[in-house]
């Protein structure tokens, strides 16, 4: 699942992404934030399935605007005791 950014970012999406606290752990960029209802709406795959069960893990990609070079960042996530943890999986070279 990919999210595209073209300069008109939704305020809920911006709030959720700004709530992630990032740090480098074991030479990997990792993030953490509280598991909120708005996060489930914004992060692809974090919402509930047809049975009302929330997914426990997933991954998504963010593709920036063409003017910024079409760089793609892939982020894996998983739920852990009321929080969601993120890990940068891949960042492509801007072209």
């Amino acid at each position: 699942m990919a999210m595209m950014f073209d300069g008109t970012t939704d305020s809920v999406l911006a709030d959720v992404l700004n709530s992630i606290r990032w740090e480098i752990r074991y030479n990997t960029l990792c993030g953490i934030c509280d598991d909120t209802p708005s996060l489930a709406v914004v992060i692809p795959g974090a919402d509930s399935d047809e049975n009302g069960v929330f997914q426990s893990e997933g991954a998504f990609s963010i593709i920036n605007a063409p003017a910024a070079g079409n760089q793609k960042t892939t982020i894996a996530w998983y739920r852990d005791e009321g929080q969601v943890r993120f890990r940068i999986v891949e960042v492509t070279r801007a072209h």
Side-chain angles (χ1 to χ4, degrees):
M1 186 68 98
M3 293 188 279
M4 298 286 292
F5 290 92
D6 60 4
T8 58
T9 304
D10 178 72
S11 65
V12 174
L13 175 60
D15 287 344
V16 168
L17 293 177
N18 283 329
S19 72
I20 301 172
R21 298 174 305 277
W22 292 98
E23 62 182 31
I24 296 174
R25 299 183 74 190
Y26 306 108
N27 293 327
T28 302
L29 186 58
C30 299
I32 189 169
C33 71
D34 292 332
D35 192 356
T36 63
S38 57
L39 182 126
V41 171
V42 171
I43 301 299
D47 55 346
S48 60
D49 64 14
E50 61 276 356
N51 298 317
V53 176
F54 281 89
Q55 302 302 306
S56 61
E57 61 182 29
F60 63 96
S61 296
I62 298 173
I63 302 170
N64 63 351
N70 283 333
Q71 187 175 46
K72 179 174 136 180
T73 303
T74 303
I75 302 171
W77 61 269
Y78 69 95
R79 287 189 159 96
D80 181 31
E81 299 181 4
Q83 296 183 315
V84 178
R85 297 185 182 269
F86 299 89
R87 179 176 53 87
I88 302 295
V89 177
E90 178 184 25
V91 179
T92 64
R93 182 168 282 203
H95 58 274

